[in-house]
């Protein structure tokens, strides 16, 4: 079943509540940059970066970024895909909050984390609007020592 947040984004109060709730969660933590995963992670991540007064870094599918990039492959249920990040997007030692709309199996988040780490960034936490815990993604991140905060969870169908 596909989980979609576009109706949430259309609702001004709902969208504000998401951004304000995430900002409240991270307002007292040292964050240098927020990295958002294409495409809905851009929307949540950019708004949150603005709210927290930090920079935003897009992590995109292969071939979509205009400057020099590094890439990371990852497994999908139906094959493989690749994510990319600009080589100058994150400086060594910068504290990065990774943001996306949803965590399912965790493969996309793991690929994004690997990109951030290749540039010397430190992923201090991961934030999602929705967690599908039955698919194990947040547990997968926790096993790597990363916190995976989400605003809501959906178990089963």
């Amino acid at each position: 079943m596909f989980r979609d947040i576009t109706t949430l984004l259309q609702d001004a109060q709902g969208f504000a509540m998401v951004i304000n709730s995430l900002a409240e969660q991270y307002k007292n933590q040292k964050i240098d940059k927020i990295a958002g995963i294409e495409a809905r992670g851009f929307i949540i991540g950019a708004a949150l970066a603005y709210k927290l007064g930090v920079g935003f870094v897009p992590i995109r599918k292969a071939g979509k970024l205009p400057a020099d990039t590094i890439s990371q492959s990852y497994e999908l249920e139906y094959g493989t895909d690749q994510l990319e990040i600009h080589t100058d997007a994150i400086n060594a030692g910068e504290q990065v909050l990774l943001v996306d709309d949803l965590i399912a199996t965790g493969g996309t988040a793991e690929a994004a984390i690997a990109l951030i780490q290749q540039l010397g960034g430190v992923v201090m936490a991961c934030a999602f609007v929705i967690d599908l815990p039955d698919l194990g993604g947040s547990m997968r991140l926790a096993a790597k020592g990363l916190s995976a905060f989400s605003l809501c969870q959906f178990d089963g169908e």
Side-chain angles (χ1 to χ4, degrees):
M1 175 181 281
F2 183 75
R3 305 289 181 183
D4 179 47
I5 66 161
T6 55
T7 54
L8 172 65
L9 299 174
Q10 292 171 23
D11 181 88
Q13 285 183 308
F15 185 48
M17 188 173 80
V18 165
I19 300 306
N20 290 334
S21 295
L22 290 172
E24 184 66 26
Q25 176 72 20
Y26 296 103
K27 71 179 181 182
N28 295 321
Q29 296 187 35
K30 183 185 179 334
I31 299 171
D32 297 303
K33 303 251 174 82
I34 291 179
I37 302 171
E38 184 172 349
R40 290 170 299 277
F42 290 0
I43 299 164
I44 304 298
L48 183 58
Y50 173 77
K51 180 87 174 174
L52 293 175
V54 300
F56 176 77
V57 175
I59 297 178
R60 297 205 67 185
K61 302 256 172 127
K64 304 283 186 176
L65 292 170
D68 292 335
T69 63
I70 58 171
S71 63
Q72 179 71 40
S73 295
Y74 63 102
E75 297 291 323
L76 300 166
E77 300 85 334
Y78 48 85
T80 62
D81 210 343
Q82 225 176 30
L83 291 177
E84 292 183 338
I85 191 171
H86 281 138
T87 57
D88 63 352
I90 296 170
N91 297 314
E94 284 188 317
Q95 298 287 310
V96 181
L97 173 62
L98 180 65
V99 175
D100 204 359
D101 66 322
L102 180 139
I103 183 159
T105 64
T108 306
E110 279 188 332
I113 290 164
L115 288 171
I116 293 164
Q117 291 173 339
Q118 284 178 56
L119 295 177
V122 177
V123 179
M124 46 79 63
C126 302
F128 307 94
V129 177
I130 299 169
D131 181 9
L132 303 177
D134 290 352
L135 298 179
S138 53
M139 299 259 308
R140 199 167 155 181
L141 295 181
K144 293 179 180 284
L146 290 167
S147 71
F149 176 78
S150 61
L151 294 175
C152 62
Q153 295 184 348
F154 290 103
D155 292 321
E157 295 291 319

